[in-house]
Amino acid sequence: MKLTLQLPETPSRTSDIIIEDGPFVRYPEFLKPYIGKRLDYWIWDSRVWRLWQNGVKEGGWPDLDSGRVVLFSAMEANKRLFALEELAGKLIGAGADRGSVLVAVGGGVTGDVVGLLASLFMRGIPHCQIPTTLLAQVDSSIGGKTGVDLPEGKNLIGTFHQPLATWMHPRFLETLPYEGLRQGMAEVIKTAMIGDEVLWKYLESHSFSIRRREREALERVITACCILKTRVVEMDEKESGLRRVLNLGHTVGHALERLSEYQLPHGEAVAIGLVVAAKISVRMGELPQEDLDRLVRLCIAWDLPVQLPGDTDPDAVVYALMTDKKRIGSRLHFILPVSIGKVRECSDLDLTLLKDVLSSLRGGKVSRFPLSRD
Ligand SMILES: NC(=O)c1ccc[n+]([C@@H]2O[C@H](COP(=O)([O-])OP(=O)(O)OC[C@H]3O[C@@H](n4cnc5c(N)ncnc54)[C@H](O)[C@@H]3O)[C@@H](O)[C@H]2O)c1
Ligand SMILES: [Zn+2]
């Protein structure tokens, strides 16, 4: 399955997304047209390299002996500017120049770092992405956002740099621990809630197939998510409007992550954020209670939390929301679901209602992390 992200610029640009379950042997055939005469340099998440170096041998992927493979210890703590300097140094040592192309193999951390590096290296060179986590396959590798973190917050330094091509292979998910699958599923549930009721019903009836990593189920889920994200990004590449719908569940989610000093995993924070947004919408008389119940059931099926930890201070959450460094203006913008598969933007959310909903949703076991302000 091939999707093409069309970016309405002059001259217009495209970014291809290929989702396929064929043998790895197809790699040379797939990437060659994009790489052309450029020399390809591969930056692999070192863990993924350990797990897959033998698996990809069959396809003639470059190995360490080629001098064109650089390993990167992918973790959030290494998603920093120093990683760019280190990787750029290794690339130059390996002979990369303005005529090179980078290929990122790994999860969202690798994709974000290599994307940013590609946009800066020799003032910008092309890159391709081969995402290997569910989160990266359904979300982070599409849309061209790149970035690294600062001590002051996540993704505060970044660019938009669309990959030439992104190749999703569900087979990589065979080695992804359940924890990674679960965190990624929060984004899948979010995507279905934003704009795909058919996907939602599929998730309701196929959680076992997905959990068992059945290729067909994974391919189905990845494809649906890629289609929706591609559609949204095409209409609003730089997040000036429509792309904000992708933030469903993320407003409160980010606040909870910040309050926990990033100890609360992103997927869990998003799941709670989705439930908060849905409950606000129910309280406003927009979302039917039945749809909120379906969301809760789906999250529980994936062991995702549906309540705020019992010791969460609603005032601290609101404070974190209001002081978010990426917030625009003084009002609280919220994406609210109005039905499964449909959302709307609320540009001035009533703070009393928000606090009320946050209080009513407290009850989860006391958090391992202090979700209150000192
Ligand atoms: N650019 C965007 O639009 C965007 C969107 C959402 C999230 N993000 C970013 O994505 C990052 C999170 O991505 P992630 O969850 O993929 O994290 P990650 O890249 O850190 O991967 C998570 C863990 O899984 C391991 N891993 C990767 N692939 C594997 C595989 N196939 N088998 C076994 N282990 C594997 C990694 O080594 C790592 O330990 C965050 O930094 C977030 O800010 C970016
Ligand atoms: Zn997210």
Side-chain angles (χ1 to χ4, degrees):
M1 161 99 185
K2 176 165 147 185
L3 300 166
T4 298
L5 179 64
Q6 294 276 1
L7 297 155
E9 287 193 348
T10 337
S12 75
R13 285 179 300 129
T14 59
S15 178
D16 282 346
I17 296 152
I18 288 97
I19 305 140
E20 72 152 354
D21 197 10
F24 281 132
V25 101
R26 292 203 47 198
Y27 138 72
E29 178 191 329
F30 161 60
L31 276 188
K32 276 279 146 39
Y34 296 96
I35 290 178
K37 290 199 167 58
R38 289 175 175 268
L39 201 53
D40 44 331
Y41 287 84
W42 293 62
I43 300 177
W44 278 77
D45 172 337
S46 49
R47 180 194 300 251
V48 181
W49 172 259
R50 274 198 305 279
L51 291 164
W52 285 95
Q53 55 179 324
N54 292 328
V56 300
K57 257 187 196 152
E58 53 178 285
W61 297 41
D63 57 17
L64 287 178
D65 295 339
S66 70
R68 290 183 287 119
V69 173
V70 173
L71 302 185
F72 169 56
S73 172
M75 57 177 91
E76 199 66 38
N78 286 345
K79 197 177 140 177
R80 299 291 290 269
L81 279 168
F82 65 75
L84 296 184
E85 203 171 321
E86 215 174 288
L87 289 170
K90 287 185 180 167
L91 286 172
I92 288 170
D97 60 21
R98 289 170 60 185
S100 306
V101 57
L102 302 185
V103 184
V105 192
V109 166
T110 308
D112 279 11
V113 168
V114 176
L116 180 56
L117 178 60
S119 72
L120 299 173
F121 189 77
M122 309 276 168
R123 301 205 167 77
I125 59 171
H127 77 300
C128 298
Q129 298 252 1
I130 302 183
T132 61
T133 60
L134 182 61
L135 180 134
Q137 294 189 342
V138 299
D139 189 359
S140 66
S141 68
I142 308 159
K145 275 195 195 176
T146 78
V148 292
D149 304 335
L150 289 180
E152 286 75 12
K154 280 183 66 174
N155 298 318
L156 292 180
I157 303 275
T159 55
F160 285 95
H161 193 58
Q162 296 291 348
L164 292 172
T166 304
W167 188 38
M168 320 280 182
H169 207 300
R171 195 172 151 193
F172 280 116
L173 303 185
E174 283 169 12
T175 55
L176 189 69
Y178 172 67
E179 179 58 17
L181 199 68
R182 184 173 84 87
Q183 301 296 334
M185 279 307 293
E187 304 290 354
V188 174
I189 295 170
K190 174 203 82 169
T191 307
M193 185 144 225
I194 291 170
D196 194 338
E197 197 189 354
V198 178
L199 172 62
W200 186 278
K201 288 184 178 150
Y202 186 83
L203 297 178
E204 284 179 327
S205 54
H206 287 77
S207 53
F208 277 113
S209 323
I210 301 169
R211 213 177 262 240
R212 282 199 299 265
R213 326 283 159 101
E214 285 174 18
R215 301 257 194 97
E216 205 186 308
L218 292 173
E219 202 175 341
R220 165 84 181 70
V221 166
I222 296 163
T223 304
C225 292
C226 289
I227 289 174
L228 188 121
K229 186 150 184 191
T230 306
R231 226 168 58 205
V232 173
V233 172
E234 273 178 349
M235 287 189 271
D236 176 23
E237 185 187 4
K238 305 273 164 77
E239 198 168 328
S240 47
L242 180 70
R243 192 165 173 171
R244 282 204 292 263
V245 300
L246 299 172
N247 288 336
L248 176 66
H250 281 63
T251 322
V252 164
H254 283 150
L256 296 176
E257 282 184 279
R258 276 181 61 209
L259 276 177
S260 74
E261 291 176 1
Y262 297 100
Q263 297 301 302
L264 183 68
H266 181 68
E268 293 189 19
V270 169
I272 300 171
L274 289 174
V275 175
V276 171
K279 186 148 186 191
I280 290 172
S281 190
V282 169
R283 292 278 298 272
M284 289 168 93
E286 298 192 14
L287 184 77
Q289 174 70 38
E290 163 61 14
D291 287 355
L292 169 59
D293 296 342
R294 287 170 77 190
L295 168 66
V296 167
R297 281 197 295 272
L298 202 48
C299 289
I300 289 173
W302 282 97
D303 303 310
L304 290 164
V306 292
Q307 284 182 311
L308 291 120
D311 55 347
T312 311
D313 173 3
D315 286 327
V317 178
V318 172
Y319 180 80
L321 282 173
M322 303 303 281
T323 53
D324 186 339
K325 292 192 176 56
K326 288 204 209 143
R327 213 160 68 89
I328 306 164
S330 58
R331 289 179 179 179
L332 208 46
H333 282 263
F334 242 80
I335 306 298
L336 297 176
V338 289
S339 63
I340 303 282
K342 196 159 172 233
V343 287
R344 76 169 180 93
E345 187 165 0
C346 171
S347 55
D348 204 1
L349 188 75
D350 177 3
L351 282 187
T352 318
L353 172 61
L354 171 62
K355 279 189 201 172
D356 224 41
V357 166
L358 290 169
S359 303
S360 73
L361 281 172
R362 275 185 308 179
K365 61 178 187 304
V366 170
S367 68
R368 285 163 282 155
F369 335 108
L371 291 181
S372 53
R373 209 150 35 111
D374 313 320

